[in-house]
Amino acid sequence: MVRASSVKDVAARAGVSLGTVSNVLNRPDRVSPQTRAKVEQAMHDLGFVRNESARQLRAGRSRTLAYVLLDARNPFFTDVAEGAERAAETAGLSLFLCHSDNRASREGDYLAHLVEQRVQGILVTPVDPQAAVLDDVRRNGTPLVIVDRTRSDDAFCSVAVDDELGGRLAVEHLIERGHTRVAFIGGPDTIGQVRDRLAGARRAWAEAGLPDDQLTVVPTSGLTVVEGRSAGERVMGVARRRRPTAAFCANDLLALGLLQQLSTSGFAVPGDLAIVGYDDIEYASAAAVPLTSVRQPRQELGQRAAELVLDEADNPAHLHQQVVFTPELVARRSTLG
Amino acid sequence: MVRASSVKDVAARAGVSLGTVSNVLNRPDRVSPQTRAKVEQAMHDLGFVRNESARQLRAGRSRTLAYVLLDARNPFFTDVAEGAERAAETAGLSLFLCHSDNRASREGDYLAHLVEQRVQGILVTPVDPQAAVLDDVRRNGTPLVIVDRTRSDDAFCSVAVDDELGGRLAVEHLIERGHTRVAFIGGPDTIGQVRDRLAGARRAWAEAGLPDDQLTVVPTSGLTVVEGRSAGERVMGVARRRRPTAAFCANDLLALGLLQQLSTSGFAVPGDLAIVGYDDIEYASAAAVPLTSVRQPRQELGQRAAELVLDEADNPAHLHQQVVFTPELVARRSTLG
DNA sequence: TTGTATGCGTTATCAC
DNA sequence: GTGATAACGCATACAA
């Protein structure tokens, strides 16, 4: 096909005016059945497809949302995306995914492009929630919602999950199961999520009246399977009578690595060490010993974010809000034996 | 911000004509430094952002590519996307990801929207490579490349990996390691990839002069961890002297499930059963026993696909081509002991 | 019911 | 070096 055909071409072929073709497209009831048939035939013959750019230029707004995410490989984000997708579908919009791959430059490129495209709204899990690029988007009038991060000011809507509560839930569960020596495995503490989960854990520990030094921190340099294995070696290297009887991992990948290391070394889970993970990714329940984990309402997170961005786009009286979801503990064999 | 500002607004504020503003944007060398400074100042003051729709309407083409993929949760596809992303970045384009989630209807919606947007090109791993929706895209003049699937006709460019060769590599490796009773684990055989990998395995088996009935097929109803575990129970339930000494799994998730089942039941890998997986996903090398696996050049797949779609968009003499990449066996402890 | 004219924001061509 | 103007494809207000 040399050139896509336009309403003008359709009009010519159907022997009607350009306005009539437009009416067939947008107010078919105002067109007589015969004329409509003629026009539709012509559209079919020519393989006519609306030009969205022209439409959008005229309408002043587009029919798409976008989610700029940090890591497409992390099931957490794809689940969030799934929730956003559903909300978009309901609103008759398309959702495009943009993978920043944790790189600020790529995130910036995407945001700039999306603003130029005049998308209806942007969801973003930013590399840095404080970064000025986000304010630039706002200045240019594109609605934006921050997902799974929060920002000190309230210049944007945001949706997140209460990580401190998540940490608390994990540790309270372990305390209930009778553990009095627990390891927190996670890091680096530059990650806000890690800090908050640990803070919640500590608070629960203190409230139970347990001595500070029996909740030990085993730092990792990342939230990966490999780091989990290495942490496992450190934890199990401790003399038995001083060794923790349970571990709370800052995410499931760490927990899976830990689990692997233990079974390789002949330790029993939860007999020698009980384990709680975080995120409840699919692999958590599919692990050799199904993992107890803290579940975040991922799809709801995405769905709510999309709803907020649409409200900001449509509702002149829109007010920014910070939505915080409640996590939930899912108990499985790794703590229940 | 009530309304985004346009070149006209900028021109008014800078006290120049609209054409000059355009020159500043597109041919800055034709504008005197003073004028340019004035205009740039005005753009800054107003927070001017180019309207991509108008630009695109004028130019007749957009500056984006899209990849419509089946399953954002599968690391295979996200790696393909990563490769495409790199190629897009090199060409100064943005790549949008569209997640069809294996649903033909959503795939259709996305394709329609992308055609209306007049994107420069579409990469797609389709639910059904033969489906007519793909031809519709072509009829409307949007370049399209099929990724990781092939089609009987050659109406499109496609990039894929030689699955039959992959199956052959896996089985040849096991034969070299001295195995003479092997299980192929995978299914359902409605999936072309599964059929091809098995076909390759059978061919290698026959060429080695081994008896047909010593390559047994253990069917699964999906390519998941859970299915892998259940297959493990079936394989290891066989009396020892008739039991396979090695298994070739149609993908890594199956292999991981199998591995879990074995270690839970006290079997040794590769001592009691050697395992070869397929895809070489990240978790394969991070498994308790690192997995031997067949690696596909995922990023190259995406990169090449993007290059092909750009060639189709730019080059009038473009010819469709079917690119088939060669897989590679990565040997690790699960077969080497 | 159908046709005509206008403008959305940008770019490029052509005078000045 | 700068400014006026037409065109991209569509949707709408209005005229016929």
Side-chain angles (χ1 to χ4, degrees), chain A residues 1 47 49-50 52-53 56 64 73 79 85 94-95 97 110 113 116 118 139-140 229 260 286, chain B residues 1 47 49-50 52-53 56 64 73 79 85 94-95 97 110 113 116 118 139-140 229 260 286:
Chain A
M1 178 151 297
V49 179
R50 269 174 154 104
E52 181 68 22
S53 319
Q56 181 176 328
T64 70
R73 287 178 189 112
D79 284 346
E85 192 111 30
S94 292
L95 178 77
L97 267 28
Y110 271 123
H113 194 158
E116 290 188 357
R118 304 290 194 268
R139 275 190 61 215
N140 295 314
R229 274 219 296 264
Q260 278 176 11
Chain B
M1 177 152 294
V49 179
R50 269 176 156 103
E52 181 68 21
S53 318
Q56 182 175 326
T64 71
R73 271 160 242 204
D79 284 346
E85 192 112 31
S94 291
L95 177 76
L97 267 29
Y110 271 123
H113 193 158
E116 290 188 356
R118 303 290 194 269
R139 276 190 60 216
N140 294 314
R229 274 218 295 263
Q260 278 176 12

Side-chain angles (χ1 to χ4, degrees), chain B residues 159-240:
Chain B
V159 294
V161 181
D162 189 336
D163 283 305
E164 192 176 317
L165 176 57
R168 166 188 296 275
L169 291 175
V171 164
E172 283 176 349
H173 173 72
L174 291 174
I175 293 172
E176 270 171 30
R177 303 289 305 165
H179 297 279
T180 54
R181 287 197 308 278
V182 168
F184 173 86
I185 299 178
D189 65 5
T190 49
I191 302 179
Q193 258 95 355
V194 172
R195 283 198 307 272
D196 292 347
R197 287 165 198 178
L198 174 56
R202 285 206 164 113
R203 195 154 308 184
W205 197 254
E207 286 175 11
L210 290 162
D212 274 15
D213 60 353
Q214 312 238 116
L215 176 66
T216 55
V217 173
V218 178
T220 63
S221 59
L223 303 171
T224 63
V225 172
V226 172
E227 284 294 321
R229 274 218 295 263
S230 122
E233 287 168 10
R234 278 175 284 158
V235 171
M236 302 316 277
V238 173
R240 169 152 207 141

Side-chain angles (χ1 to χ4, degrees), chain B residues 244-287:
Chain B
T245 58
F248 166 36
C249 300
N251 83 348
D252 281 345
L253 298 180
L254 286 173
L256 291 173
L258 176 60
L259 184 59
Q260 278 176 12
Q261 205 283 324
L262 294 183
S263 49
T264 305
S265 315
F267 290 106
V269 174
D272 294 311
L273 191 76
I275 302 179
V276 180
Y278 206 108
D279 278 351
D280 192 31
I281 64 178
E282 193 189 345
Y283 300 118
S285 56

Side-chain angles (χ1 to χ4, degrees), chain A residues 54-305:
Chain A
R55 221 176 158 205
Q56 181 176 328
L57 174 58
R58 174 67 221 227
R61 58 155 40 186
S62 83
R63 292 162 51 244
T64 70
L65 296 182
Y67 178 29
V68 183
L69 46 80
L70 284 181
D71 180 8
R73 287 178 189 112
N74 186 333
F76 175 84
F77 292 114
T78 49
D79 284 346
V80 171
E82 180 56 32
E85 192 111 30
R86 280 210 302 248
E89 213 166 4
T90 303
L93 305 175
S94 292
L95 178 77
F96 290 145
L97 267 28
C98 305
H99 183 203
S100 72
D101 199 25
N102 241 309
R103 287 154 51 189
S105 66
R106 210 148 94 174
E107 178 181 289
D109 290 346
Y110 271 123
L111 291 176
H113 194 158
L114 293 169
V115 170
E116 290 188 357
Q117 295 247 61
R118 304 290 194 268
V119 293
Q120 260 203 50
I122 299 176
L123 315 185
V124 57
T125 301
V127 176
D128 169 14
Q130 310 296 338
V133 270
L134 303 182
D135 299 276
D136 292 344
V137 171
R138 160 62 40 70
R139 275 190 61 215
N140 295 314
T142 304
L144 182 149
V145 171
I146 296 177
V147 177
D148 195 43
R149 293 288 184 276
T150 50
R151 193 169 141 127
S152 37
D153 58 27
D154 54 352
F156 300 94
C157 284
S158 69
V159 294
V161 181
D162 189 337
D163 283 305
E164 193 175 316
L165 176 57
R168 166 188 295 274
L169 290 175
V171 165
E172 282 175 350
H173 173 72
L174 291 174
I175 293 172
E176 270 171 29
R177 303 289 305 166
H179 297 280
T180 54
R181 287 198 309 277
V182 167
F184 173 86
I185 300 178
D189 65 5
T190 49
I191 302 179
Q193 259 94 356
V194 172
R195 283 198 308 272
D196 292 346
R197 288 166 197 176
L198 175 55
R202 284 206 164 116
R203 195 153 309 185
W205 197 254
E207 287 176 9
L210 291 162
D212 274 15
D213 60 353
Q214 312 236 115
L215 176 66
T216 57
V217 174
V218 179
T220 63
S221 59
L223 302 171
T224 64
V225 172
V226 172
E227 283 293 321
R229 274 219 296 264
S230 123
E233 286 168 11
R234 278 175 284 157
V235 171
M236 302 316 278
V238 173
R240 171 155 204 139
R241 38 182 297 275
R242 298 183 41 238
R243 190 196 294 157
T245 58
F248 166 36
C249 300
N251 83 348
D252 281 345
L253 298 180
L254 285 174
L256 291 173
L258 175 61
L259 184 58
Q260 278 176 11
Q261 205 282 324
L262 294 183
S263 50
T264 306
S265 316
F267 289 106
V269 174
D272 293 311
L273 191 77
I275 302 180
V276 180
Y278 207 108
D279 279 349
D280 193 31
I281 64 177
E282 193 188 345
Y283 301 118
S285 57
V289 178
L291 267 185
T292 294
S293 190
V294 178
R295 174 186 296 164
Q296 314 198 58
R298 293 170 290 219
Q299 300 210 348
E300 290 78 1
L301 212 58
Q303 189 167 340
R304 196 83 183 81

